[in-house]
Amino acid sequence: MALIELRGVSRRYTLGDIEVRALDGITLAIEAGEYVAIMGQSGSGKSTLMNVLGCLDNPTEGQFLIDGHDAGQLGPDELAALRRERFGFIFQRYHLLPHLDARGNAALPAVYAGVGSAARSARAQALLERLGLGERLHHKPNELSGGQQQRVSIARALMNGGQIILADEPTGALDSTSGAEMLALLEELNAAGHTIILVTHDPTVAAHASRVIELRDGRVVKDEGTPSGHPVLALPSAPEAPAVQKGGGLRRLQVQWREALATAWLSLQGNRLRTFLSMLGISIGIASVVSIVALTGAARSTFEGEFRSTMSGKIWIWRGNSKLPPGAQPPSFRLIELDALRQLPGVASVQGERQIPALLRHRTRDANLNVRGADAGTLIERKLKLEAGRFFSAYELADGAQVLVLDEQSRQALFKDTESPIGKTVLLSSSAVGDGGGAEGRPGATAAPSGASLPFVVIGTVKADSQLGFNFGNGNAYVPERTFIQRLDSRPAVDAFSVQMDFTLPPEEVLRHLTHRLVALRGAENFSNWSGDSEFRKMQDFTAGFAALFAGVGAIALLVGGVGVMNIMLVSVSERTREIGIRMAVGARQGDVRLQFLIEAVVLCCLGGLVGVAFSWLGAQALNAVQDKLLVSVSWAALGVAFAVSSGVGLVFGTVPARRAAALSPVDALARE
Ligand code: ADP
Ligand code: MG
């Protein structure tokens, strides 16, 4: 059985309306161990025949058999395996990969055979040394002469065994000395058992072969030197084959991945500016998503935390509401009403808001503020902390002493920052008292006559124990509850009160009970309420919406970065078409090519993602260092997700270029300059 057999093989190209018959019904057989020269003028179909023989191209008609198997029945991966394991190509223009050194180029076919890197290098080195290139292992193709480059390509052809050497005009680009060396080498290889198929238009070159096939217009016109006349060797390709011919599935996968990563790294390094710019796109995208999510997250949790700690479980109720006719003055809440509410389930405490507007004077300065009655629990109740001085003693609370505690705002108004208010006496005139007792009259306000001022001693200052400090309107001054009732406002009623829930019932239910009971007591719904929890929920929905919106804006930046990567990868594929062709000629499968470009895109995006993640982390640290209102934390989980997302972007946007690269046909890719 012939090693290679062609039966009526034709290869036609259609260019518009014109049909070119590059091969026209070729039938021939080549035995193992032959040295065949294919001769013919330029355009006679030699290269086309060579490509068909080397499984780089498919015939349009006819059968191509190798070892009796029909190559037409084989899939792309099986054809790649044939190229990898049986054939060794030598091209006129060498077709070495420019970014790999001599050893790397020679070793390339073994990569796709799954040979480990140490074994690969050792064999490539041995081959190159035998070909006289021991001193040139680490030279790139552009640092080698034509003859040397052609010897590297011979080493590459022999790497996986090279049972059948296909050489297309191997001496065409060489000077006569190098050409002669080349021919001597081919003869040596033939003597060692390799089948040689040499394409040439030069009769003196063809004379080295034992059989000459001449083509004209795609047809065999002469076939001299018969296979039977040639001593056909039993093929000892074993000594030439690499020690580790085929790695196992896992080993091959490992070699494949390592090569793809190394190639990706080399190619990214080879185009630094381009790599940097596409990385930048991804970095900006990732950094914007991470920062926006972290920032909005921090703002939300700070704001919501404050809000919740201040407002949770609280309901404020005050008299009057928008449904009442204008000018209506609903009655204040009587203390017995508050007592009734205290009995309701879910209610922990009810605090009457005892407060009146007043004018406070110190020397020439005065301030409008609200005076509130306070007891021992007020600091906790109103989330205040003592800033200077002290709070009311038990004695002062019990005795109705004329002492007073100022909050931040009223302290500022009266004392500025220059003077300590502690121990100073201020004059308090209640405007409510001063205007003649107000609309409802204040029968109990006996202590302070109209327009009179009462002296109070400032014993302390407080400030809000929260970063959000809800400061509506005027500042506050606190006096002991008893003092408040005795001296300022003795009505057994309040205009507003707050309810603290005990969380045994849902807030809505407590509010429903409260409203129901109050309406029953007062005969009408002539009050309003504000519930911390329902406000909190409304606010949460609102901020969640905003956070999502912002994250969406960040994601658009990431999308733009991804499109940039896809664009660059497509450019890269078309720039490196010849490289893809070379890799396929030495036996890369479509999957190998796809993996290579996909990994390149993913590596690019991962690097970009890492930089983006690093920037957003540094940004968060910097922000935390310069301010303390907002604690921006970028969690490891967020960084991990960002990194995964950028890899995902690489995967998604690398797919199209990778598929395009893998779908290239080997001949077309090789022909591209
Ligand atoms: P040789 O190698 O002997 O110079 P080729 O095999 O390269 O000849 O080409 C044989 C014929 O096929 C020529 O006429 C050439 O123009 C044509 N040909 C080769 N490749 C293509 C192609 N990809 N598309 C169209 N025509 C082609
Ligand atoms: Mg040619």
Side-chain angles (χ1 to χ4, degrees):
M1 182 173 53
L3 177 63
I4 288 173
E5 198 178 342
L6 299 183
R7 291 184 192 156
V9 163
S10 295
R11 178 69 171 98
R12 286 193 303 264
Y13 295 104
T14 27
L15 299 168
D17 297 338
I18 308 161
E19 193 188 66
V20 182
R21 283 176 175 268
L23 295 179
D24 191 5
I26 294 198
T27 299
L28 57 83
I30 296 171
E31 301 293 331
E34 276 197 82
Y35 186 166
V36 183
I38 296 170
M39 279 272 292
Q41 288 175 337
S42 177
S44 57
K46 306 184 295 293
S47 296
T48 308
L49 178 58
M50 184 65 102
N51 292 335
V52 169
L53 290 176
C55 299
L56 289 170
D57 197 5
N58 290 318
T60 330
E61 276 159 30
Q63 261 188 324
F64 169 52
L65 301 136
I66 176 153
D67 285 336
H69 300 295
D70 189 350
Q73 306 295 319
L74 301 178
D77 279 359
E78 289 162 309
L79 291 175
L82 275 180
R83 292 196 291 271
R84 189 165 63 234
E85 283 153 22
R86 307 293 294 275
F87 294 105
F89 292 93
I90 299 170
F91 300 100
Q92 180 175 358
R93 325 278 326 252
Y94 330 126
H95 281 339
L96 300 177
L97 294 184
H99 55 271
L100 293 181
D101 62 12
R103 197 175 64 179
N105 266 295
L108 195 61
V111 167
Y112 298 111
V115 180
S117 102
R120 232 154 58 203
S121 293
R123 179 167 164 81
Q125 184 163 344
L127 283 169
L128 288 170
E129 277 165 0
R130 253 172 52 198
L131 292 164
L133 288 172
E135 307 288 300
R136 297 281 185 272
L137 296 177
H138 300 297
H139 289 230
K140 299 270 172 67
N142 61 4
E143 298 158 347
L144 296 170
S145 74
Q148 288 168 334
Q149 288 186 65
Q150 200 57 300
R151 275 182 278 162
V152 174
S153 80
I154 293 176
R156 182 177 64 188
L158 296 174
M159 190 65 198
N160 284 349
Q163 184 191 5
I164 306 159
I165 304 269
L166 297 165
D168 192 351
E169 307 265 14
T171 58
L174 299 180
D175 59 80
S176 54
T177 326
S178 304
E181 276 173 16
M182 179 73 215
L183 292 169
L185 268 172
L186 289 179
E187 254 163 275
E188 233 175 84
L189 289 174
N190 183 236
H194 296 267
T195 307
I196 312 280
I197 302 172
L198 170 92
V199 160
T200 183
H201 64 275
D202 184 347
T204 59
V205 172
H208 288 78
S210 48
R211 174 178 171 194
V212 177
I213 297 172
E214 199 177 330
L215 293 186
R216 190 174 302 153
D217 297 331
R219 277 180 220 170
V220 178
V221 291
K222 202 159 78 181
D223 189 349
E224 283 174 354
T226 50
S228 52
H230 186 86
V232 176
L233 303 173
L235 207 86
S237 70
E240 289 291 343
V244 201
Q245 177 65 39
K246 268 188 225 167
L250 208 65
R251 173 114 191 109
R252 215 202 64 181
L253 216 66
Q254 191 190 342
V255 170
Q256 243 178 320
W257 272 82
R258 206 178 293 164
E259 168 70 10
L261 274 171
T263 311
W265 184 246
L266 269 176
S267 117
L268 293 177
Q269 261 197 327
N271 268 310
R272 286 200 198 163
L273 182 63
R274 183 198 280 186
T275 302
F276 170 74
L277 290 175
S278 358
M279 258 175 65
L280 192 66
I282 294 294
S283 299
I284 291 174
I286 285 288
S288 64
V289 173
V290 173
S291 318
I292 286 172
V293 168
L295 266 177
T296 50
R300 279 184 75 192
S301 68
T302 306
F303 187 58
E304 290 180 1
E306 289 293 337
F307 191 94
R308 173 164 273 185
S309 73
T310 330
M311 308 296 176
S312 184
K314 279 216 165 182
I315 296 173
W316 275 266
I317 296 182
W318 62 97
R319 67 188 175 114
N321 68 34
S322 55
K323 280 173 260 168
L324 296 174
Q329 278 284 355
S332 300
F333 301 99
R334 287 168 293 150
L335 296 185
I336 51 164
E337 287 173 7
L338 302 196
D339 283 338
L341 298 182
R342 286 192 177 99
Q343 310 305 317
L344 291 176
V347 172
S349 68
V350 177
Q351 272 260 308
E353 286 280 304
R354 292 202 161 273
Q355 83 172 68
I356 54 162
L359 186 76
L360 214 58
R361 165 160 293 183
H362 174 64
R363 300 211 182 112
T364 57
R365 246 180 239 139
D366 47 32
N368 279 308
L369 42 70
N370 294 315
V371 180
R372 293 168 180 274
D375 57 27
T378 299
L379 281 187
I380 299 163
E381 167 80 18
R382 296 186 66 85
K383 314 269 184 211
L384 294 170
K385 67 170 183 244
L386 204 58
E387 193 178 29
R390 58 184 180 81
F391 203 62
F392 307 120
S393 68
Y395 174 74
E396 283 162 344
L397 288 172
D399 192 47
Q402 279 177 235
V403 288
L404 175 145
V405 168
L406 294 173
D407 76 357
E408 182 87 358
Q409 211 179 340
S410 44
R411 181 189 64 78
Q412 270 285 336
L414 272 182
F415 294 94
K416 306 292 171 199
D417 284 322
T418 50
E419 206 179 336
S420 165
I422 312 296
K424 303 280 157 53
T425 301
V426 294
L427 289 175
L428 189 155
S429 35
S430 154
S431 43
V433 176
D435 70 3
E440 294 166 68
R442 288 168 190 267
T446 51
S450 282
S453 296
L454 296 171
F456 277 77
V457 178
V458 180
I459 60 161
T461 59
V462 292
K463 71 181 209 183
D465 188 17
S466 99
Q467 305 203 336
L468 241 56
F470 289 101
N471 267 334
F472 311 116
N474 292 335
N476 293 310
Y478 300 90
V479 301
E481 179 93 30
R482 177 170 278 260
T483 313
F484 189 93
I485 296 171
Q486 286 180 348
R487 303 282 177 181
L488 302 173
D489 183 3
S490 60
R491 291 176 303 156
V494 292
D495 295 324
F497 60 92
S498 67
V499 176
Q500 177 66 50
M501 291 178 243
D502 63 8
F503 299 106
T504 53
L505 290 177
E508 306 78 41
E509 202 173 324
V510 177
L511 181 60
R512 212 168 46 241
H513 287 314
L514 283 169
T515 314
H516 198 255
R517 175 56 68 86
L518 265 180
V519 170
L521 286 167
R522 293 163 69 83
E525 189 170 345
N526 50 15
F527 52 89
S528 317
N529 70 72
W530 189 95
S531 152
D533 293 276
S534 59
E535 291 305 313
F536 180 69
R537 228 160 300 123
K538 275 188 227 161
M539 191 186 73
Q540 253 187 333
D541 290 348
F542 186 69
T543 55
F546 256 93
L549 186 73
F550 280 132
V553 172
I556 288 174
L558 190 57
L559 194 73
V560 172
V563 171
V565 166
M566 174 145 86
N567 188 27
I568 281 306
M569 292 310 298
L570 284 173
V571 170
S572 183
V573 168
S574 64
E575 269 183 3
R576 285 155 65 196
T577 304
R578 203 166 61 94
E579 175 192 327
I580 296 166
I582 293 168
R583 288 180 183 273
M584 285 176 158
V586 302
R589 302 158 196 80
Q590 291 185 328
D592 292 322
V593 174
R594 200 159 48 225
L595 183 73
Q596 183 192 328
F597 281 88
L598 209 53
I599 283 193
E600 197 169 317
V602 170
V603 165
L604 190 65
C605 288
C606 280
L607 287 176
L610 270 183
V611 172
V613 154
F615 271 126
S616 37
W617 188 80
L618 286 175
Q621 301 309 307
L623 207 62
N624 287 340
V626 299
Q627 55 86 50
D628 59 358
K629 283 252 182 283
L630 220 58
L631 179 70
V632 185
S633 68
V634 182
S635 67
W636 285 110
L639 295 186
V641 167
F643 188 67
V645 165
S646 55
S647 321
V649 166
L651 216 55
V652 168
F653 288 97
T655 300
V656 172
R659 278 176 179 278
R660 180 170 284 204
L664 286 168
S665 109
V667 240
D668 290 347
L670 271 176
R672 209 86 62 86
E673 276 303 324

